[in-house]
């Protein structure tokens, strides 16, 4: 925790003695290197080790039939989302971006998704999910405790398809915990709220 350390070797004072210690700049990319060099930290830092997970191969298929209530431009937007690798849906306000995003989820091969939205519309996302993505169960994570409760649930009790909904502020506070839920798809409402590449919200996302 010494301020001003750089990578390499540093002399620090422990009691009345000065000792040489290795210094690492901690990031998700060199945790395994640190744990190898300092084995006794394994128990304290093991939660930082990147977890290996099986890579899923998604097979994209043409949806059998989109909701008949969609307008032609909305059908085009959903089809565009389903045949891409991600993108910005930038229709004008009031033209149904939420509906298009949820219809995309409904016809996608994903089973877990994360929606990040302003606090004022999170409950609306949950209501719209029940109407436009009927195979999905919304779960609003409004606080750190609700995130921890979701993590503590046995996998066997979780809904087959679940969409986690949280606020931009909660994402910045509980980013690592939310990431541990391993959502396969991220939908950002009002994405400009992430401000800059260096903001906490952007880093968490």
């Amino acid at each position: 925790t010494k301020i001003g350390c750089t990578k390499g070797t540093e002399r620090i004072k422990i009691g009345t003695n000065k000792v040489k210690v290795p210094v690492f700049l901690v990031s998700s990319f060199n945790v395994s290197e640190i744990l190898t060099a300092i084995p006794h930290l394994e128990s304290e830092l093991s939660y930082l080790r990147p977890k290996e997970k099986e890579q899923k191969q998604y097979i994209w298929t043409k949806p059998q039939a989109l909701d008949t209530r969609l307008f032609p431009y909305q059908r085009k937007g959903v089809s565009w989302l389903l045949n891409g690798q991600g993108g910005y849906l930038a229709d004008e306000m009031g033209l149904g971006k939420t509906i298009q995003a949820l219809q995309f989820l409904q016809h996608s091969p994903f089973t877990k998704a994360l929606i990040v939205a302003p606090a004022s519309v999170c409950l609306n996302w949950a209501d719209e999910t029940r109407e436009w993505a009927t195979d999905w169960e919304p779960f609003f994570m409004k606080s750190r405790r609700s995130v921890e409760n979701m993590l503590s649930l046995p996998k066997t009790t979780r809904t087959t398809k679940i969409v986690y909904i949280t606020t931009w502020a909660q994402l910045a506070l509980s980013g690592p915990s939310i990431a541990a839920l391993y959502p396969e798809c991220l939908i950002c409402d009002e994405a400009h709220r992430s401000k800059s590449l260096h903001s906490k919200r952007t880093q968490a996302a």
Side-chain angles (χ1 to χ4, degrees):
T1 59
K2 183 177 177 182
I3 304 299
C5 287
T6 56
K7 186 176 181 181
T9 303
E10 187 84 10
R11 283 186 172 276
I12 65 170
K13 191 173 183 180
I14 300 179
T16 57
N17 301 318
K18 282 191 174 181
V19 295
K20 280 187 177 182
V21 296
V23 176
F24 299 89
L25 302 179
V26 180
S27 75
S28 58
F29 302 103
N30 67 353
V31 170
S32 56
E33 175 189 346
I34 296 172
L35 295 178
T36 301
I38 315 174
H40 67 276
L41 288 181
E42 172 69 35
S43 59
E44 296 179 50
L45 298 181
S46 59
Y47 71 95
L48 288 173
R49 186 188 293 277
K51 295 180 181 179
E52 295 182 4
K53 62 174 182 175
E54 184 180 345
Q55 293 293 327
K56 292 186 179 180
Q57 297 297 321
Y58 298 111
I59 301 174
W60 299 93
T61 57
K62 190 174 182 179
Q64 295 178 353
L66 296 177
D67 195 296
T68 56
R69 294 173 292 173
L70 293 176
F71 290 106
Y73 72 89
Q74 292 176 323
R75 298 173 67 86
K76 186 175 181 179
V78 175
S79 298
W80 175 75
L81 288 171
L82 286 169
N83 288 285
Q85 296 298 314
Y88 291 95
L89 190 61
D91 290 344
E92 292 288 345
M93 185 183 297
L95 292 183
K97 296 184 291 295
T98 299
I99 293 171
Q100 291 177 67
L102 291 173
Q103 275 286 287
F104 159 74
L105 278 185
Q106 178 71 2
H107 296 283
S108 74
F110 302 127
T111 58
K112 286 192 291 184
L114 172 65
I115 294 174
V116 184
S120 59
V121 297
C122 282
L123 291 178
N124 181 64
W125 270 99
D127 292 338
E128 296 285 7
T129 298
R130 296 184 184 97
E131 182 175 354
W132 293 95
T134 53
D135 292 346
W136 292 74
E137 181 66 29
F139 185 88
F140 180 27
M141 299 185 297
K142 59 183 177 181
S143 64
R144 190 187 299 271
R145 176 169 291 183
S146 59
V147 175
E148 293 170 352
N149 288 343
M150 199 64 208
L151 281 169
S152 65
L153 284 177
K155 291 183 180 179
T156 54
T157 65
R158 294 182 184 175
T159 310
T160 303
K161 288 190 174 185
I162 188 165
V163 56
Y164 309 109
I165 303 170
T166 194
T167 65
W168 281 103
Q170 193 58 47
L171 179 70
L173 291 171
S174 304
S177 297
I178 293 173
L181 293 168
Y182 293 117
E184 300 159 346
C185 175
L186 173 64
I187 295 175
C188 294
D189 188 10
E190 303 286 349
H192 61 275
R193 297 217 174 184
S194 62
K195 302 298 181 184
S196 70
L197 288 175
H198 305 291
S199 70
K200 289 183 179 180
R201 292 175 176 183
T202 305
Q203 295 298 323

